[in-house]
């Protein structure tokens, strides 16, 4: 990567992280060993849920969570369009149909009123996405899920380390999903996790990530038993001990990462407060925002994006509304006009560099360039 190019997101790896992984390389278990359980236990403790299941990506975690929720062919799952395609793709993996509910204009979080309008007799799950790192309106979403007897799944890939009404993000829904891709709040390289309180969900997920087989290699070795049976169709979605050791080490640094992200966001907010052309998204008062992304709205987004990029600033756009992707148009018949709020936002949003190791001088340069460009 060009040394002068500033990405929008990036991992922070310390000597302690490296040592944690090295230790595993010298141990007896490279996968499905003690680090997996240790990382799962630490995540369950951090979020405050009974169970956690580590898998090898956030996408695998979404697939696993929806399988646990019992999603099958013919079911409908309500998802917001303002997310990474994987959120809706996981619904399609199970033969079910993603139904797009629009987002709230000021926060770009799923709009509970739009969710209600999309419910049909085939609806089984509401999928909430904690976009940019702040929690959705879970008071409303939980009420809707209760009233219509739906399962609530949170795509909390952005919000690990954030809080909703002082409770950790990822503790609101029936199943919550995290990603450990390098740009996410903590990383394992690739990796993901699902947390849940319900034991039936947990059992289904443990089997699903291991081919549908009811015991794992370590259990069989410890019980001196060769016997295993496959009872359902699963996948190899296991996360290795190497990855889990890194995840465990990173989890210990999470709260410091979030404090630093919030400091960066506060500095952006202050810098743009007097510039009416730059409109940061709104943070709901009950949220402690984790700032996976710092998103603002502005006119002439495409011109400013190009100019910032040409100056080495890796700003980005999160996201192309999922229902506008060619695959969705072609296979699900989605089109413009289905989610007008998300579509309008899409032409105006810009994500600025934000990550724990972002240098103050680099942030000042981003601010200076953006203020200059938006004054033109
Ligand atoms: C990153 C991300 C995913 C997918 O996670 P991977 O680990 O890259 O598979 C899903 N949903 C959202 C909202 C994400 O940001």
């Amino acid at each position: 990567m060009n040394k002068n190019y500033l990405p929008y997101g990036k991992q922070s790896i310390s000597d302690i992280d490296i040592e944690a992984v090295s230790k595993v390389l010298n141990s007896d278990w490279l996968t499905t060993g003690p680090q997996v359980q240790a990382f799962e236990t630490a995540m369950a403790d951090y979020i405050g849920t009974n169970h956690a299941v580590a898998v090898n990506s956030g996408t695998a975690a979404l697939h696993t969570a929806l399988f646990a929720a019992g999603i099958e062919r013919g079911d409908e799952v309500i998802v917001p369009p303002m997310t990474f395609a994987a959120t809706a793709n996981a619904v399609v993996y199970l033969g079910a149909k993603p139904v797009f509910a629009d987002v709230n204009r000021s926060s770009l979080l799923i709009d509970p009123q739009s969710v209600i309008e999309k419910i049909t007799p085939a609806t089984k799950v509401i999928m909430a996405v904690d976009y940019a790192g702040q929690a959705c309106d879970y008071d409303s979403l939980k009420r809707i899920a209760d009233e219509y007897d739906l399962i609530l799944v949170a795509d909390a890939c952005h919000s690990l380390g954030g809080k909703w009404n002082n409770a950790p993000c990822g503790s609101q829904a029936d199943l919550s999903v995290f990603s450990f891709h390098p740009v996410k709040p903590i990383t394992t390289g690739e990796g993901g996790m699902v947390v849940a309180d319900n034991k039936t969900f947990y059992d289904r997920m443990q089997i699903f990530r291991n081919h549908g087989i009811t015991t794992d290699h370590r259990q069989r070795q410890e019980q001196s038993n060769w016997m295993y049976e496959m009872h359902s169709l699963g996948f190899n979605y296991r996360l290795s001990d190497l990855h889990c050791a890194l995840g465990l080490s990173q989890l210990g640094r999470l709260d410091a990462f979030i404090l630093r992200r919030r400091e960066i966001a506060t500095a952006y907010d202050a810098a743009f407060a007097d510039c009416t052309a730059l409109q940061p998204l709104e943070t709901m008062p009950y949220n402690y925002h984790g700032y996976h992304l710092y998103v603002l709205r502005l006119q002439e987004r495409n011109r400013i994006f190009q100019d910032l990029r040409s100056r080495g600033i890796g700003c980005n756009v999160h996201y192309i509304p999922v229902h506008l992707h060619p695959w969705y148009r072609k296979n699900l018949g989605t089109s413009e006009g289905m989610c007008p709020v998300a579509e309008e936002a899409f032409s105006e949003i810009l994500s600025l560099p934000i990550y724990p190791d972002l240098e103050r001088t680099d942030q000042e340069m981003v601010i200076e360039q953006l203020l200059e460009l938006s004054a033109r």
Side-chain angles (χ1 to χ4, degrees):
M1 200 188 291
N2 181 345
K3 245 192 132 18
N4 296 317
Y5 181 82
L6 212 58
Y8 83 89
K10 193 185 167 185
Q11 72 276 13
S12 169
I13 300 294
S14 70
D15 289 345
I16 296 171
D17 293 332
I18 292 168
E19 197 180 319
V21 178
S22 300
K23 261 198 201 144
V24 177
L25 279 169
N26 288 309
S27 78
D28 289 338
W29 297 95
L30 292 190
T31 193
T32 317
Q35 294 298 317
V36 178
Q37 225 161 46
F39 185 33
E40 288 174 340
T41 302
M43 277 289 290
D45 286 351
Y46 185 90
I47 305 297
T49 51
N50 293 337
H51 306 290
V53 175
V55 291
N56 52 27
S57 72
T59 305
L62 288 162
H63 190 188
T64 302
L66 289 176
F67 175 83
I71 291 302
E72 330 178 313
R73 195 163 296 281
D75 292 339
E76 292 181 2
V77 174
I78 296 176
V79 299
M82 192 48 77
T83 184
F84 184 53
T87 313
N89 293 354
V91 178
V92 181
Y93 294 165
L94 290 161
K97 182 183 169 193
V99 174
F100 296 97
D102 213 345
V103 293
N104 175 286
R105 197 192 176 284
S106 63
S107 65
L108 304 187
L109 297 169
I110 194 165
D111 174 5
Q113 191 52 43
S114 180
V115 170
I116 292 172
E117 288 162 14
K118 302 291 168 156
I119 292 172
T120 76
T123 309
K124 294 282 156 58
V125 162
I126 303 169
M127 187 105 94
V129 176
D130 294 344
Y131 175 78
Q134 73 166 321
C136 296
D137 175 3
Y138 284 106
D139 273 334
S140 301
L141 295 174
K142 285 199 262 197
R143 207 177 311 124
I144 297 165
D146 280 349
E147 187 178 335
Y148 292 89
D149 198 20
L150 306 173
I151 294 172
L152 184 58
V153 176
D155 180 336
C157 289
H158 294 183
S159 61
L160 179 60
K163 295 190 182 91
W164 174 86
N165 283 322
N166 293 317
C169 288
S171 62
Q172 289 71 40
D174 299 304
L175 293 140
S176 296
V177 169
F178 303 103
S179 163
F180 308 125
H181 179 278
V183 297
K184 301 296 161 72
I186 61 171
T187 191
T188 61
E190 297 278 2
M193 187 86 73
V194 189
V195 299
D197 280 330
N198 181 302
K199 174 78 162 65
T200 305
F201 288 162
Y202 173 67
D203 291 341
R204 283 172 67 83
M205 293 194 287
Q206 273 216 316
I207 292 167
F208 187 71
R209 75 165 159 189
N210 192 33
H211 309 280
I213 291 170
T214 46
T215 55
D216 69 34
H217 177 74
R218 188 176 178 217
Q219 286 166 341
R220 288 194 296 278
Q221 176 158 328
E222 285 176 352
Q223 293 160 14
S224 304
N225 188 354
W226 53 265
M227 171 68 189
Y228 69 83
E229 283 180 327
M230 185 192 135
H231 287 266
S232 55
L233 187 64
F235 290 78
N236 177 358
Y237 276 168
R238 296 184 308 260
L239 191 61
S240 81
D241 265 43
L242 292 165
H243 293 86
C244 289
L246 180 54
L248 191 56
S249 176
Q250 287 260 305
L251 186 59
R253 305 176 60 206
L254 173 60
D255 289 344
F257 286 161
I258 298 295
L259 282 174
R260 178 68 190 122
R261 285 177 177 276
R262 289 175 58 82
E263 198 174 68
I264 293 165
T266 303
Y268 277 139
D269 281 346
F272 305 141
D274 296 330
C275 181
T276 51
L278 302 175
Q279 296 286 334
L281 295 186
E282 190 182 349
T283 301
M284 297 300 137
Y286 46 78
N287 276 338
Y288 177 83
H289 198 313
Y291 284 106
H292 164 59
L293 301 173
Y294 185 88
V295 179
L296 42 73
R297 296 176 74 137
L298 73 183
Q299 302 301 310
E300 293 186 84
R301 193 273 317 280
N302 289 347
R303 170 182 70 84
I304 290 177
F305 176 91
Q306 287 304 334
D307 285 349
L308 286 172
R309 276 287 176 99
S310 70
R311 295 169 190 204
I313 296 171
C315 51
N316 223 314
V317 174
H318 298 95
Y319 292 94
I320 300 169
V322 178
H323 68 289
L324 299 184
H325 282 296
W327 189 90
Y328 277 89
R329 292 177 189 260
K330 182 161 162 255
N331 292 284
L332 269 80
T334 53
S335 59
E336 258 119 17
M338 291 178 79
C339 295
V341 180
E343 290 161 24
E344 191 201 4
F346 167 53
S347 63
E348 299 178 0
I349 48 179
L350 188 70
S351 306
L352 299 183
I354 187 165
Y355 48 90
D357 293 348
L358 179 65
E359 302 278 350
R360 280 180 176 77
T361 49
D362 285 335
Q363 185 182 14
E364 280 159 18
M365 188 267 292
V366 174
I367 289 168
E368 197 177 301
Q369 300 282 342
L370 181 56
L371 285 174
E372 188 204 313
L373 286 168
S374 54
R376 277 189 195 169

